[in-house]
Amino acid sequence: MGKQRHVHALEGKQRHVASPPAELVSRAREGQPLAVARLISLVEDASPALREVAAALAPYTGGAHVLGLTGPPGVGKSTLTSALITAFRARGKRIGVLAVDPSSPFSGGALLGDRIRMHDHTTDPEVFIRSMATRGHLGGLAWATPQALRVLDAAGCDVILIETVGVGQSEVDIVSLADTTLVLLAPGMGDGIQAAKAGILEVADIFVVNKSDHDGADRTVHDLSHMISLGRREITGPNWRPPIIRTTATTGSGLDDLMTALDTHHTWLVSHGELQTRRTHRAAAEIEAIALDTLRTRLRHLHGAEALDTLAKQVAAGELDPYAAAEAWIASL
Ligand code: GDP
């Protein structure tokens, strides 16, 4: 934890010393943690420099395999993330981890000490771990998380793990950023039916039954495979049947199987053109989020605020209906 804190403390002090975005990006590409942290802060702060940063990052993105981890709180996401970091490091890969907390105003690693069991990795220069707070952003996660992802991607991460911290309906949104989505379940909690209700079954590329050292793991695996065999198309997808992998994240048991499943899925993504399809969807969502955010900002800050006030008075007085007012407001741009 020490080094991680240190990096953030340093970064905090330098926050007001402006480096040109292009220079920051080239330093990030060399793998300098400070530059990576600074770029992610620019994203979190919705800095006006972001546009230039995004342009500088664009040519260097697309190389990372993005893994999304989701599942109920306490299922072992953080512990498994740490075990996956170990496994990828053993292969010599550079890793980025984004722990996204949609409900928290804390950021910059403030939560890492408590929430993420990754102490073993914080002094490893090939591992970038960052927690992101997205509350308070208008349109929050929709545009901020993909931009942070781009930073890590351009910084040469071979693998990026996105983990949701805390609870929220944004889980599925975060997962939509991933090339490969892992849905974690554990015996006795978040069984198949509950998970289906939460809407996370449909997004799984790989199911992980963690805490397989606990009683009831067989039952959970059985319930899941039953649900998959019901053959719901949204679960099985075209030619891909999500495997169920048992792990014990605390000991690393099952990690080899999980790594094999990740490799297999990546190969499938590439050979079926699915990687391209998913990334195009992701880019479309990203463009839409940025466009809506831009539109909202323009409406509120240019002449829009005045126009809104005038229109609101008319609607309140019953002189205009709100739909016509909204049309007129948009037209005021
Ligand atoms: P998260 O909320 O999903 O991130 O879950 P955590 O990774 O924080 O884990 C919650 C608790 O479960 C911690 O006390 C972990 O040590 C424990 N845990 C995680 N994985 C396993 C496992 O495979 N077996 C057992 N017995 N405990 C585990």
Side-chain angles (χ1 to χ4, degrees), residues 22-245:
E23 188 200 312
L24 269 179
V25 169
S26 82
R27 280 171 41 213
R29 285 184 28 77
E30 288 162 17
Q32 292 186 24
L34 212 60
V36 174
R38 174 80 183 122
L39 286 168
I40 296 181
S41 292
L42 291 179
V43 172
E44 279 190 318
D45 297 347
S47 160
L50 256 191
R51 221 176 140 156
E52 215 181 315
V53 167
L57 290 173
Y60 307 113
T61 52
H65 183 191
V66 182
L67 310 181
L69 266 85
T70 191
V75 74
K77 293 183 293 297
S78 296
T79 315
L80 189 73
T81 295
S82 183
L84 280 169
I85 295 172
T86 304
F88 280 114
R89 287 300 297 130
R91 291 181 175 188
K93 304 291 186 192
R94 182 180 285 183
I95 324 256
V97 178
L98 273 182
V100 182
D101 188 342
S103 61
S104 169
F106 301 109
S107 67
L111 293 174
L112 290 178
D114 308 328
R115 281 288 309 142
I116 303 181
R117 289 148 185 88
M118 294 175 195
H119 309 268
D120 299 348
H121 307 291
T122 49
T123 53
D124 185 338
E126 295 293 307
V127 179
F128 299 101
I129 300 175
R130 179 68 181 231
S131 75
M132 272 197 78
T134 50
R135 193 179 76 172
H137 277 188
L138 280 171
L141 289 172
W143 65 269
T145 311
Q147 303 317 309
L149 199 71
R150 284 172 175 278
V151 172
L152 292 172
D153 194 353
C157 291
D158 302 294
V159 178
I160 301 172
L161 295 158
I162 311 181
E163 184 207 346
T164 30
V165 176
V167 214
Q169 0 158 259
S170 314
E171 276 174 344
V172 176
D173 295 344
I174 288 160
V175 156
S176 73
L177 296 170
D179 300 320
T180 302
T181 297
L182 280 70
V183 171
L184 271 71
L185 299 166
M189 58 180 299
D191 62 72
I193 307 300
Q194 270 177 322
K197 276 189 200 146
I200 55 177
L201 276 187
E202 285 79 1
V203 298
D205 295 306
I206 296 172
F207 287 104
V208 177
V209 174
N210 190 42
K211 303 195 182 182
S212 62
D213 53 323
H214 284 185
D215 287 344
D218 287 343
R219 177 68 201 269
T220 306
V221 170
H222 177 268
D223 288 352
L224 262 178
S225 48
H226 179 66
M227 291 202 67
I228 296 168
S229 68
L230 291 178
R232 289 167 55 189
R233 192 164 277 156
E234 61 271 30
I235 294 179
T236 51
N239 307 320
W240 179 260
R241 187 186 171 92
I244 304 170
I245 311 293

